Amino acid sequence: WPGTEILDVLYDIGRAEGRDAYRFLREAAEKNGFDAGYAGETDALINYAYSAGKRGESDVPAEVAVMLLRRPLSAESAHYRIAALTLMAEFQGGEALGQLIREFRSENERVRRTAINLAGRIPGEYVTSVLCSQLKEVPAYIASDLITVLGLRGDRSASGPISQLLFNSVQEIRIPGVLAYARLEGSEGVETLIDYMRSFPYYEDQSIAVEALSFIADSTGRQKVADAIADSPPVTQANMIMFVASGGEPVYFPLIARYCNSQNNTVSEAAYEALPDVSQPGDIEMLISMALQNSNDQRAVNVITAIARSVQYSDNQVNASEVFSRSVAKSGYNRTLVAALPLIGDR
């Protein structure tokens, strides 16, 4: 392994300009077979190639990349393969796409993911179309990473090919497809995500769809989800209820309160949990009635929280507190209502 002084010299040469420095570093690296054990020469050559490329000498990074690619890939040499791909993507752009795509199937995970990420950074609709064409050509674990990159790429022309994979039977493909599709379609993708939630009742699918909806659905989109609750399976209903309530819009209180009476326990539990997010002062009497009719401890906690929120957000807290206090006394000091008193905070 080279000493510190030699490494310092090689580092300086790697930063130098002029073809003499290039020839010296190239010969030194070739002599040692670009061996990882002689990292000083090869790393200095890579630094030189990058600097030369920035100076407009595009032939240098191209030549160095070819040299590095000739080296057999191993765990020890993977970083040199990554350096080669980075040089190609940086200074050859679309011309590097072929090599990058070949590396999509690399057995080395670092190399494979680097190749996919680098390909995703190359601009142009043509590149997007080529990457989309690979979605059905590669195994699911590769397609998964490629879908994510296409979503981050932001080219909406990828939306169609990705939407075709949303309802794939392989979860490894459709899960990243949800977020990618949402990023590309924005608020216009709400209806498709509703269909997705109705199609896949599994926890991971429901969670990712709610996450996607949370950053693309505006008030109009939230209303579309609310309208879709009735015709959805119970698990989806529960998740849609939680999503609709998460916006904190009181207009959805009657809808959420209605689902508290659902015969499906999953749906009713979600509705009770969502109550505090949408309650407002005008809902106090209904909440009091729900508290009096409820013997479930956890549901009672949610109703208590909703009552407290309603009183605290009232324009006339004193009046709201008095209404609530009278209801407590009238109920014979119902334990659920009594439990809400400390949360209200009115002496």
Side-chain angles (χ1 to χ4, degrees), residues 197-216:
M197 291 184 72
R198 287 169 166 170
S199 301
F200 301 105
Y202 314 110
Y203 174 79
E204 293 83 356
D205 292 280
Q206 294 286 308
S207 296
I208 201 70
V210 170
E211 180 182 346
L213 284 169
S214 69
F215 64 79
I216 68 169

Side-chain angles (χ1 to χ4, degrees), residues 7-61:
L7 287 173
D8 289 341
V9 172
L10 289 170
Y11 177 77
D12 289 338
I13 296 174
R15 298 175 60 194
E17 298 183 18
R19 293 294 171 132
D20 288 341
Y22 175 44
R23 282 191 292 271
F24 172 80
L25 292 172
R26 184 180 62 191
E27 290 172 3
E30 286 177 331
K31 180 180 179 181
N32 290 315
F34 299 94
D35 195 304
Y38 294 86
E41 297 92 334
T42 305
D43 287 352
L45 178 64
I46 293 169
N47 289 336
Y48 180 90
Y50 189 82
S51 298
K54 287 295 187 181
R55 294 194 298 269
E57 302 171 34
S58 59
D59 60 312
V60 175

Side-chain angles (χ1 to χ4, degrees), residues 89-213:
E90 177 77 19
F91 300 110
Q92 294 177 247
E95 295 179 14
L97 197 55
Q99 181 63 43
L100 292 172
I101 289 175
R102 283 191 285 275
E103 299 293 347
F104 286 2
R105 296 177 181 270
S106 174
E107 295 180 358
N108 185 287
E109 183 178 0
R110 287 177 55 215
V111 172
R112 180 174 69 246
R113 290 192 164 177
T114 297
I116 292 173
N117 288 329
L118 288 171
R121 295 175 190 171
I122 299 174
E125 288 188 13
Y126 169 73
V127 176
T128 301
S129 67
V130 171
L131 296 180
C132 287
S133 71
Q134 292 296 307
L135 290 174
K136 295 183 179 180
E137 302 294 327
V138 297
Y141 69 95
I142 298 174
S144 175
D145 289 338
L146 188 53
I147 289 168
T148 298
V149 165
L150 283 166
L152 294 171
R153 184 176 172 79
D155 187 340
R156 199 173 178 186
S157 64
S159 179
I162 289 175
S163 68
Q164 295 173 16
L165 299 175
L166 278 184
F167 299 90
N168 195 287
S169 60
V170 180
Q171 191 180 65
E172 189 176 8
I173 289 179
R174 66 176 185 261
I175 290 290
V178 171
L179 288 181
Y181 181 79
R183 288 190 179 100
L184 295 172
E185 284 295 301
S187 60
E188 295 184 20
V190 171
E191 290 91 342
T192 299
L193 293 182
I194 288 172
D195 290 340
Y196 181 92
M197 291 184 72
R198 287 169 166 170
S199 301
F200 301 105
Y202 314 110
Y203 174 79
E204 293 83 356
D205 292 280
Q206 294 286 308
S207 296
I208 201 70
V210 170
E211 180 182 346
L213 284 169

Side-chain angles (χ1 to χ4, degrees), residues 59 66 101 144 209 239 244 249 269 278 281 287-288 291 314:
D59 60 312
V66 170
I101 289 175
S144 175
N239 284 294
V244 169
E249 298 179 62
E269 289 291 344
V278 292
L287 288 167
I288 290 172
S314 173

